Amino acid sequence: MRHRIVVIGTSETARAVALLLVARDDSHLLLTGEDGGALQAAAVALAAEARVAGPVPAHELTAADVVVVCEGQPPPAEDLRIRCPDTVLIVATADVAADARALQDELRWPRQRVIGIGAGAATGPSTRRAAAAAQLVDHVLADRDRTVEVTVQTTAQGGEGSWGSVPARIGARGIQAFDEG
């Protein structure tokens, strides 16, 4: 089964995430802000069977398994809400808590399906954000059920609606459980 992965953005982080994901043999990679031709050539060079398309208009973002939001391009929230109602959203921006909160408020998806990279990765270079996002994509698509540091809407820290970086188990439906330590 081919997974549909959408990468939104025109930043270094978006390009690095796409490059890290192009080696997946089980995926169809859709880029909203980048030309997919160079990445498709990279997939061929890596002998990967990934399919890459881009730039893809918002109305073609249907049935994505995972959407990765990076800087440089506003996410088409209304299109995502309508065309990708069951997707897991991964936010890989430098201001991960604020951006994830804004998307959660706009999308109104269950908090388990809006996941930001960990605060430590968000404060680092774009390659660190990209690596953290690619790792989360892998955990979701492979249903790894592994514990990693993520930025999520919490109830235990600061009350309903607050966002923080906490350890959580990530699997096919997003957050499976919060790690109690």
Side-chain angles (χ1 to χ4, degrees):
M1 176 174 95
R2 278 213 182 263
H3 297 289
R4 291 175 63 89
I5 305 168
V6 174
V7 178
I8 298 173
T10 58
S11 63
E12 282 296 319
T13 303
R15 287 187 284 283
V17 167
L19 187 57
L20 289 168
L21 295 175
V22 76
R24 293 187 65 93
D25 283 336
D26 63 347
S27 299
H28 187 176
L29 188 58
L30 305 171
L31 312 172
T32 65
E34 299 291 330
D35 181 7
L39 282 174
Q40 185 63 51
V44 170
L46 292 169
E49 295 181 22
R51 296 182 188 151
V52 183
V56 176
H59 70 271
E60 290 183 21
L61 303 179
T62 58
D65 297 295
V66 178
V67 173
V68 180
V69 176
C70 304
E71 293 96 354
Q73 186 179 40
E78 185 64 25
D79 287 304
L80 291 176
R81 184 176 26 258
I82 294 168
R83 292 173 169 68
C84 302
D86 298 320
T87 195
V88 173
L89 184 76
I90 297 171
V91 180
T93 62
D95 195 0
V96 65
D99 293 337
R101 177 183 296 125
L103 282 166
Q104 175 68 35
D105 289 347
E106 194 168 352
L107 291 169
R108 302 273 185 228
W109 279 349
R111 71 183 184 128
Q112 294 83 359
R113 291 193 294 121
V114 179
I115 307 168
I117 58 173
T123 60
S126 61
T127 52
R128 187 181 305 166
R129 289 194 297 276
Q135 179 187 43
L136 288 173
V137 169
D138 182 59
H139 289 336
V140 169
L141 295 181
D143 195 17
R144 296 231 188 269
D145 199 26
R146 297 252 173 89
T147 299
V148 293
E149 190 80 14
V150 293
T151 301
V152 295
Q153 183 182 5
T154 63
T155 54
Q157 296 180 348
E160 187 68 35
S162 66
W163 286 75
S165 194
V166 298
R169 284 196 342 243
I170 305 298
R173 300 300 304 152
I175 297 169
Q176 307 296 354
F178 291 100
D179 189 2
E180 299 298 326

